[in-house]
Amino acid sequence: QVHLVESGGGSVQAGGSLRLSCAASGFTGGDYSMKEYYMAWFRQTPEKGREGVACIAADGTTNYADSVEGRFTISLDKPANTLYLQIKNLQPEDTALFYCAAQRRSPFTSYWHCSRASDNYRFWGQGTQVTVSS
């Protein structure tokens, strides 16, 4: 069972930066090693619901929502089993609960595939709050 734990959230002023971390564990070897998973960051607010902001494929290919392109950077440290989301120039509209998610690649899914759709993910962390003040 894959276990995800986010950290790094907090309260910042507009224009500031944060780096969110997602520590992943529970991967076994072979076809269930971390290299067979794609991962993503989502954010959720009562007004907008859950939005996939960035994903990273098993081969490192990344994909971003248009609303965050250029300000958010997703990365994966495989030896450390840790997913990151670097956020710069934070704005009040970025205030949200941020989640990381992981999904094992199926045999029919390319290594370069990832998804920003929440329905595609089985494993989720508990979330870390980001609050941006103007």
Side-chain angles (χ1 to χ4, degrees):
Q1 184 80 357
V2 174
H3 187 55
L4 305 173
V5 180
E6 301 94 336
S7 62
S11 297
V12 298
Q13 291 192 325
S17 299
L18 281 175
R19 189 177 76 160
L20 307 184
S21 300
C22 172
S25 61
F27 299 102
T28 57
D31 291 342
Y32 291 86
S33 65
M34 192 178 186
K35 66 180 179 67
E36 294 296 327
Y37 285 73
Y38 54 89
M39 303 183 73
W41 284 98
F42 293 80
R43 63 184 177 186
Q44 183 167 336
T45 64
E47 297 80 18
K48 297 182 180 179
R50 185 169 291 185
E51 175 192 19
V53 296
C55 67
I56 186 165
D59 74 343
T61 300
T62 58
N63 182 270
Y64 296 92
D66 290 343
S67 58
V68 306
E69 186 81 54
R71 294 193 302 119
F72 287 25
T73 302
I74 189 171
S75 61
L76 179 62
D77 184 342
K78 288 185 177 180
N81 281 7
T82 303
L83 180 72
Y84 297 102
L85 186 68
Q86 180 71 46
I87 310 173
K88 61 181 182 181
N89 192 23
L90 279 155
Q91 299 300 313
E93 55 266 32
D94 293 319
T95 295
L97 186 61
F98 281 74
Y99 296 91
C100 65
Q103 176 61 40
R104 181 174 172 268
R105 186 188 66 85
S106 80
F108 307 102
T109 302
S110 301
Y111 277 99
W112 48 260
H113 170 82
C114 70
S115 173
R116 289 186 289 105
S118 59
D119 289 350
N120 287 341
Y121 289 87
R122 176 182 176 187
F123 301 105
W124 293 82
Q126 83 291 347
T128 186
Q129 179 68 38
V130 172
T131 302
V132 185
S133 58
S134 57

